[in-house]
Every structure is written in C-alpha cells, then in structure tokens.
Amino acid sequence: MSVFRPTRRDILSMAAAMPALTLPAFAPSIARANLGAPATPNPSHFSFTLGQAKLTVVSDGHLATPTNGLGVNADPAEVQAFLKAHFLSTTTNYSHTNHLLIELGDAKVLVDVGSGDRFLDTAGRLMGNLESAGIDASTITHVVITHAHPDHIWGVRDDFDEAIIPDAQYFIGGTEHTHWMQDDLLASAPPEAQQFIVGAQNSINVDGAEWQLMSNDGEIAPGIRVIDTPGHTPGHMAVVIESDGQQLMAVGDAMNHAWMNFAHPDWVNGFDMDGDQTAATRRRLLDMAVADDIAVLGYHFPFPGVGNVMKDGEAYRFVPALWKW
C-alpha cells in the first residue's frame, strides 16, 4: 500500500499555506460555529483516577497537518464528506498531543516525551505543562515510548543532547528499537524519510538513557504493562493500566483520529507505515475495549482524549469520558 509521508519541510510549508487553501466542492452548505482560541491559555492538564491509580493527561501542544494525509486508502471525496459531516476542517487536521502520567504504587510513569523544539513550533510544551500541573519531572521514575515518531520521542533530549529526565528508567519496544537502529536503514530509505530516521536514531542514542527493550505483555511496573500494537510503526506499543479491576489503554497512534478511526477503522493515514496491519491492530484494540470495558486514551484525540468505545453496527464510536471536578 502506498502511503503519504511528507517531510518536515512539506508539513511546515503546507501548514503555513493552509489559510489560503479552499475546497469549493466541499464548502459547508450550512453555517457552523468557528470556535477560536481564548486570549489566555486553556488548562493544559487533566487529572482523574482509575482504581488506585492517579492519572494526569498533560498536553504537549497541537499539530496542524494537511487532511490529505487522512484516509489515504479511501476515496478522497468520501474522506472530505466525512470531515465536513463531523464539523471538521476539510483542509487542516488539527490534532492534540495528550501525554499520560501514571502514578501507581511507587511508580510515576510518563508515556512518550513529545517533540521538544525539534518538530513543529505548535508543540513541545510538555515540560512546561508538567511544571504548570505541579509535577516535578525529576521525580518521574519510568519513561515509556510508544514509538519513535517525532512527536513522541524527539523531546527526549535537552539542549545538551542528554536525557531530559536523567534519573528515569527508559522503555521502548524491542521491535521498534531494532527497526530504527538498522545499520542500513538510512542509506536504503527515500529522501523524504531520512530526517525521521536520523531523528529517531539520535533520540534513541541520547546520553543518559539506558533503554530496556520490551515485548508483548512486558511489565513496566506493577499494574502497568505494554502490548504489541504494530502497523503505525513496526514495533508500536500501547500501555495498559489496571487497578482494582479497571483498565485503561493509552493507544498512542494505533488510533489517532477520534471520529474516523472508529467509524472507518480500515481507513489508514499517511504516517501509518503498514496500512493493512494498522487496520487489523485497530480493530483488535476496538474489540478489546468493547468486550472488556477498557477505557482508552488517544494521543491525538481532542484533549484530554479519554473515553470508552461502543459498538455502532459494523463500526464503533468513541464516547468521551465525563469530566469530574
């Protein structure tokens, strides 16, 4: 399956041009509210509990990428119609970046480290937002990387190319590590993929991080484990928390669109490295969530990205969790 893999320059240039783009054929036929950002920032963290676990979703900011990277194996007109019907932009995919901090027992586990200042300038807010949430990053005991794409791992390094949380234990999938660290991967890759490979390798090679390589059902700490969720990348992993009989899955990018991935789980995105495997993994996770009543956290879902999955005919539906104060 051919996939759309824009370079960072492509992303930046297309994002910059986005206000000028129009798609008259899909112009909304009805008026809709255009909700803008407030003058002062919205809250950047959200805390809740799952059994004995204290969970906090902390934002790294947002990404704005072209919508032609969505549903690349579907009819573009159908994708555009879907976006329009769900009151979403037909030109810009505005997605959030939701990091999970898990406090359970003696463990304080951070899932992914964001992009730092090395990717898009709308992201890279994680460290500052952790501080705003009253969380001292130096007290984090474990860092788990779902996969080595820029917005999930490039923030692992500080300005001195050292691990940004030096005292934590670092975890990544063994298959993911093997894929990105292949000796000949860079030389054999097309030019548009090379900067992502270099970024992943530089991040994995960061000074001060001794990587523990994980496999399916590997335990990070009591009540916290990883499961294989390949497709988006070869060794992508999700994180599962279980406490007092309740479960939540932080699915990373195995599901990355809170409407499309549920209504059309077989539609894949340009950054899904193996489209068929991505779709199969996504259906497996959706079925798990429905059958076992497992809550989900989507990294790119609307903040805070937490909810449940319900069956909807042959498809599914994401039901956002109710905030509690």
Side-chain angles (χ1 to χ4, degrees):
M1 175 184 296
S2 62
V3 294
F4 172 75
R5 294 194 181 98
T7 66
R8 182 173 184 270
R9 179 174 299 188
D10 290 336
I11 293 171
L12 290 170
S13 61
M14 286 186 286
M18 206 61 67
L21 295 176
T22 58
L23 290 170
F26 301 100
S29 59
I30 58 174
R32 66 174 183 175
N34 184 15
L35 306 180
T40 56
N42 276 313
S44 59
H45 66 276
F46 169 70
S47 294
F48 59 105
T49 59
L50 182 87
Q52 300 300 310
K54 177 184 176 182
L55 306 178
T56 303
V57 180
V58 184
S59 175
D60 191 48
H62 75 275
L63 306 180
T65 55
T67 56
N68 61 357
L70 299 175
V72 294
N73 60 333
D75 181 349
E78 191 174 354
V79 174
Q80 291 277 293
F82 180 90
L83 294 171
K84 175 185 169 185
H86 286 77
F87 302 96
L88 299 171
S89 171
T90 56
T91 56
T92 305
N93 180 36
Y94 186 108
S95 61
H96 294 169
T97 52
N98 306 317
H99 292 260
L100 182 63
L101 183 76
I102 308 158
E103 297 178 73
L104 182 59
D106 295 329
K108 187 178 286 189
V109 180
L110 178 65
V111 181
D112 291 331
V113 287
S115 54
D117 59 359
R118 297 178 174 88
F119 194 40
L120 301 184
D121 60 9
T122 56
R125 314 286 199 269
L126 179 61
M127 290 297 121
N129 286 338
L130 283 169
E131 183 178 357
S132 297
I135 298 167
D136 181 353
S138 69
T139 65
I140 292 171
T141 58
H142 306 70
V143 173
V144 186
I145 302 299
T146 59
H147 65 294
H149 276 167
D151 49 328
H152 296 260
I153 197 174
W154 282 13
V156 73
R157 297 180 288 148
D158 62 18
D159 292 339
F160 300 97
D161 288 334
E162 297 175 346
I164 200 162
I165 308 175
D167 296 327
Q169 299 177 56
Y170 283 82
F171 300 82
I172 194 171
T175 301
E176 188 77 357
H177 185 278
T178 297
H179 168 75
W180 293 104
M181 301 307 291
Q182 296 174 73
D183 290 338
D184 61 347
L185 182 62
L186 185 63
S188 62
E192 64 270 17
Q194 290 178 0
Q195 62 181 328
F196 294 97
I197 296 169
V198 171
Q201 292 178 346
N202 287 343
S203 298
I204 292 170
N205 284 328
V206 61
D207 288 339
E210 297 294 330
W211 294 98
Q212 298 184 43
L213 305 184
M214 304 301 292
S215 58
N216 192 57
D217 277 334
E219 184 180 79
I220 303 297
I224 306 168
R225 62 188 174 93
V226 293
I227 58 173
D228 289 339
T229 51
H232 182 71
T233 61
H236 189 289
M237 304 195 89
V239 178
V240 180
I241 306 99
E242 183 170 3
S243 178
D244 290 349
Q246 302 177 60
Q247 295 185 79
L248 179 141
M249 292 189 293
V251 299
D253 281 4
M255 291 185 276
N256 47 35
H257 197 282
W259 297 274
M260 195 173 292
N261 290 168
F262 292 80
H264 296 284
D266 296 327
W267 288 5
V268 298
N269 300 337
F271 285 106
D272 294 327
M273 296 175 69
D274 184 326
D276 291 339
Q277 191 171 53
T278 297
T281 291
R282 183 177 297 145
R283 283 193 173 273
R284 175 169 59 87
L285 292 177
L286 290 165
D287 286 338
M288 283 175 55
V290 170
D292 298 331
D293 196 20
I294 304 174
V296 297
L297 167 64
Y299 182 75
H300 289 299
F301 291 5
F303 181 86
V306 182
N308 292 93
V309 181
M310 65 176 289
K311 202 80 167 74
D312 187 12
E314 294 300 312
Y316 308 82
R317 186 183 302 172
F318 177 65
V319 183
L322 180 66
W323 283 46
K324 295 181 181 178
W325 281 269

